[in-house]
Amino acid sequence: MSESSSAALQVPEVTNGSSGEPGAIVQEKVESSDTTSGILDYTDRKVIIHNMPKFTKEYELKKLISQWVEGTKIEVTRHKKPPNKTWLVLTLAEEEMVGQLLSVLNDGKHINKKGGVLRAVRASERNDNKRSADNGDNGSEGGRKRMRRDDYVKTPDEIRDALTPLWRQTYDEQVEFKTKNMVIKCLSKITKEIKSKVRLLGKDKQRQKSQRKSDNGMYEWLSGKQPIDMKPILRAPKHFQYRNKSELTFGYRHTYSKNENENEKQESTEEKSNNEGLEVESNKSKIIKTPAVGFLAGGWSGGVSCPHYAANIPDIVCGISDILNEFLKDSPIPPYTSSDHRGVWRTITIRSSDITKQCMIIICHAPAQGGAGAKTDGSDDYSAVFDQEKERLVKMLTGRIPKPKRELSGPGTESISNANNNNQEGDEEFCDYSVTSLFFQEFEGLSNPPPEHPVQHEYGEKFLEEKLLQCTFQISPGAFFQVTTEGAEVLYKVVVDRLKEVTTNPEEMLLFDVCCGTGTIGLTCLKEGAVGKVVGIDISEPAIKDAIVNAEKNGYSGTEGRTKFVASRAEKAMNNEIKSAGHGKSMVAVVDPSREGLHQDVCKALRNEKSINRIIYVSCNPTGSLVKDAGMLCSPATKKYRGVPFKISSAQPVDMFPLTDHCEMVMVFDRMSPDEISRRGNDNSKGEKVASTTEETKEGQPEESPKNTDEETNIVCDEGAENTNANKMSEMDTTVDKPE
């Protein structure tokens, strides 16, 4: 950074100058040229507000500050917010005003546009932590290059903000927020992505002498401000306790010590056992670390968070976590810690069904001899007590699950909290179903085990059964299944309706269920009478084995030729099945990929298969991978992506995850006709605002420039123009985004 630019970002300090005038402004020298260190220079009159929108206009900042200090004697003399940062620095007239402002902003009622809670801290505290890290107070000789946050205690509201960020809003407000999010972050980005590809290819072809002028315009379906028809969001049938799968982490729960006597007792017994907690010095008091299970709502520095605060988690999960916490109190085996890879207990996955009243538990643990970082002296070897502790844990988990006391907050949660907390002391209630399957999974790796990693069956059934619409599904420990059953029913009904639009004779229609997993979508469509045959394709062999079993459970043995599940690459399997099906059969594809989206080879295969005229894309990441995949499916043909492109006929968002900002999207892609390809209009949309203004994009963040924009690909016509064009086309054909 140049000296001039650094000086422009120096923060003027407000102090009581020699003139005696309060609030007089003087310029203090900032020694560091670093922008961040200049803005966050040490002062007792500065406050840092976190979770601000990255891009906020000056008038918006002034309006916010005025609202914060309205009705108080707080005087803000300076404010500074760097672009593309999520924090704001305020300088106050007097040090006494800092505490008042912290009380105002940290009441939990001030939220950003995404529903996140603003958090205000003293700038002096931040700088103290930074200097400690720089001076090597963390134990390393020269300090750590990457600063780790000090251990802290999360409040219930901070836990809710991390797990269910929209918990303060009514459901109507959540739907309104998600609608705006889908328009701005999904539809607008998809439209711009496709248009940029059309313009790039059109610009290149325009330089070819044989190219017709009529082929250089924009596709007609892309004209207008909102070319994609988005239906109103389908609302979730269940707003609370809707998750049928939860994964908790073994770790340490952080709490403040209550009094000095308790601290002294803790110090005297700390080294005797791993179960009685660990202590860490805090600026205010000591933090007690107790072995427990929960969510990592704020990373390891905040400890594991109690699931009881999250309204989307069912009672059965909270009840099981209470049992595990009781178990860990007396267990000599400690939880696994990722910082040094020591300890044993790692994670617990809980699957449950409200319909069949079954519950499956998978407990992942490191080897009993210790984790990857176990000491060589054998002090981390728990082999002698592991089998005994495992037997005790199984006995505790397979009994009756007590109904937990919940501490919920937010609109609509009062009835749930009252129902769980009205029990008289000694009058314990239990959940209406218990554990029916229990597995252990030993894993010595450093990250998380893959879905196909083997498990050891310990108790009960080997599978969990779930019912969805007219189908019954068998779910194995590592199988994928939608995490909300009621929401999945709404989602699959949309897919069924879109399939029924294709033909009046569904018995003659062949459905390719790409990324089929355990066959839930394909079998549901078959059972609902939307198609006559299903070919499920997935690269995972365990998932295909489950799909075959599920087909048999629902009356399709495979011998009658109505179902077929193949463990193979999608492009290879589709080609073989289309050849065996013959001509004259109507074919449709349904794709339900993971968050990474479709592999580029699958997109190429879908484009190349001329018999497939409709693709129904079920996306769990509509603001990310769907944008990329839509660009590959809808862009004009190239050497790499041959075949007639698709157009987007409809988009149906489905809210399956209330209290969070996530939303599913069912998008329909129909093959373009030759007439639609040739009928192009003038591209008058360059620079236009699509579905929203640039300032509105990403909740106040300017829309990122799409790849291959006109400015980036403006090719100068000269003697080497043809070679340049060929290089550009080749570059586009070989640089399509790959899923990570």
Side-chain angles (χ1 to χ4, degrees), residues 540-561:
S540 171
E541 289 189 16
I544 290 299
K545 290 179 180 178
D546 279 350
I548 294 172
V549 173
N550 286 330
E552 293 176 353
K553 275 183 172 292
N554 291 280
Y556 306 107
S557 62
T559 56
E560 78 283 357

Side-chain angles (χ1 to χ4, degrees), residues 499 502-503 505-511 530-533 586 588:
L499 287 171
V502 177
T503 179
N505 187 11
E507 288 297 322
E508 295 298 320
M509 186 157 68
L510 170 62
L511 172 64
V531 296
K533 182 180 178 180
S586 179
V588 182

Side-chain angles (χ1 to χ4, degrees), residues 323-472:
I323 292 176
L324 287 168
N325 292 339
E326 287 296 320
F327 167 79
L328 291 170
K329 282 182 181 179
D330 303 319
S331 177
I333 303 177
Y336 181 88
T337 53
S338 62
S339 58
D340 54 13
H341 303 292
R342 296 173 60 191
V344 175
W345 306 117
R346 300 187 65 151
T347 61
I348 176 170
T349 301
I350 304 170
R351 291 178 180 266
S352 59
S353 169
D354 254 350
I355 301 173
T356 62
K357 301 301 180 183
Q358 295 182 6
C359 178
M360 174 189 286
I361 291 179
I362 306 103
I363 298 174
C364 181
H365 61 87
Q369 295 79 12
K375 294 182 178 179
T376 55
D377 60 3
S379 59
D380 291 332
D381 190 346
Y382 301 97
S383 304
V385 295
F386 181 75
D387 288 339
Q388 179 182 348
E389 284 299 287
K390 187 167 77 168
E391 184 179 346
R392 184 170 73 93
L393 178 57
V394 171
K395 186 176 180 180
M396 293 179 70
L397 289 173
T398 52
R400 300 180 70 185
I401 308 297
K403 202 164 189 179
K405 291 186 176 181
R406 308 289 298 269
E407 296 183 40
L408 302 178
S409 184
T413 59
E414 299 83 4
S415 59
I416 304 175
S417 298
N418 294 336
N420 284 25
N421 300 334
N422 281 340
N423 298 337
Q424 305 255 345
E425 190 163 344
D427 184 19
E428 189 172 22
E429 280 194 27
F430 297 90
C431 295
D432 55 356
Y433 53 99
S434 57
V435 175
T436 56
S437 303
L438 180 57
F439 296 85
F440 283 86
Q441 184 180 49
E442 183 177 301
F443 182 67
E444 59 183 351
L446 300 183
S447 58
N448 295 321
E452 62 273 10
H453 193 74
V455 296
Q456 296 80 46
H457 179 248
E458 192 69 28
Y459 170 85
E461 304 293 333
K462 294 187 177 181
F463 304 95
L464 180 141
E465 274 196 357
E466 181 63 290
K467 292 185 177 180
L468 195 154
L469 295 176
Q470 300 183 50
C471 293
T472 300

